[in-house]
Amino acid sequence: LLSQAALGCRAAQVLMQYCILANHYWFLVEAVYLYKLLIGAVFSEKNYYRLYLYLGWGTPVVFVVPWMAAKYLKENAEGGGAGHLHCLPPPQINLLIFMRILKVILAKLRANQKGYADYKLRLAKATLTLIPLFGIHEVVFIFATDEQTTGILRYVKVFFTLFLNSFQGFLVAVLYCFANKEVKSEMKKKWQLWKLDH
């Protein structure tokens, strides 16, 4: 019979794997949503909202439940762990959507081209801001698993993975919230109202 500490540890591990997968699938939802906006697809938001919720929160369950069962069976049979869950199709799909979005952005920038330097700068800015939003950095080390990497490459992989994953939410918040003109104007209005009240 498992102790409470062991059960808590296993529950935390399952929850962690679920959260990691949910994070990746929400990147996929963001990529699909942005792509639909860019290509000007006409669709009813109400119809897709539920689909986005299922994709973001529900799809990870499809992978975590069998992993959890396999881990449990392997631990009971061998007495050892089953390792991490390595089933991450969203980064590869996001890379394809990312390339399609860059193609659309490139076409739109070329059509409205004012100056060559400005056009290249705007494309670079769009590319750099989409990388953390879509989790494209995950693709860099997707084929270099922990078991395959050794020496300095392993340290580089761990550093970049931990750094980018740790600050990804912060980067997305800065780029898409705090640097957004509409958000800044709303924050300025709220600040002015607060100053008038006090």
Side-chain angles (χ1 to χ4, degrees), residues 72-179:
Y72 176 77
L73 292 172
K74 185 171 183 177
E75 283 177 357
N76 284 345
E78 298 175 6
H84 296 290
L85 179 59
H86 294 293
C87 183
L88 298 175
Q92 295 95 324
I93 297 168
N94 278 2
L95 180 63
L96 295 173
I97 294 173
F98 175 73
M99 292 176 358
R100 294 287 305 261
I101 286 175
L102 285 182
K103 189 176 174 185
V104 171
I105 290 172
L106 182 64
K108 289 186 179 199
L109 286 175
R110 278 187 180 157
N112 300 328
Q113 185 177 342
K114 293 176 184 171
Y116 188 70
D118 177 58
Y119 147 79
K120 278 185 138 179
L121 182 70
R122 290 173 69 192
L123 181 63
K125 184 181 172 188
T127 303
L128 290 173
T129 55
L130 288 175
I131 287 172
L133 182 69
F134 288 1
I136 298 301
H137 61 275
E138 295 282 341
V139 177
V140 175
F141 293 111
I142 200 145
F143 299 109
T145 62
D146 289 340
E147 295 81 20
Q148 296 171 332
T149 53
T150 56
I152 193 76
L153 179 61
R154 185 179 198 125
Y155 291 118
V156 169
K157 176 187 186 275
V158 168
F159 173 78
F160 279 107
T161 302
L162 289 175
F163 178 80
L164 291 169
N165 285 346
S166 298
F167 291 102
Q168 186 170 12
F170 176 72
L171 285 171
V172 170
V174 168
L175 294 172
Y176 293 95
C177 185
F178 302 118

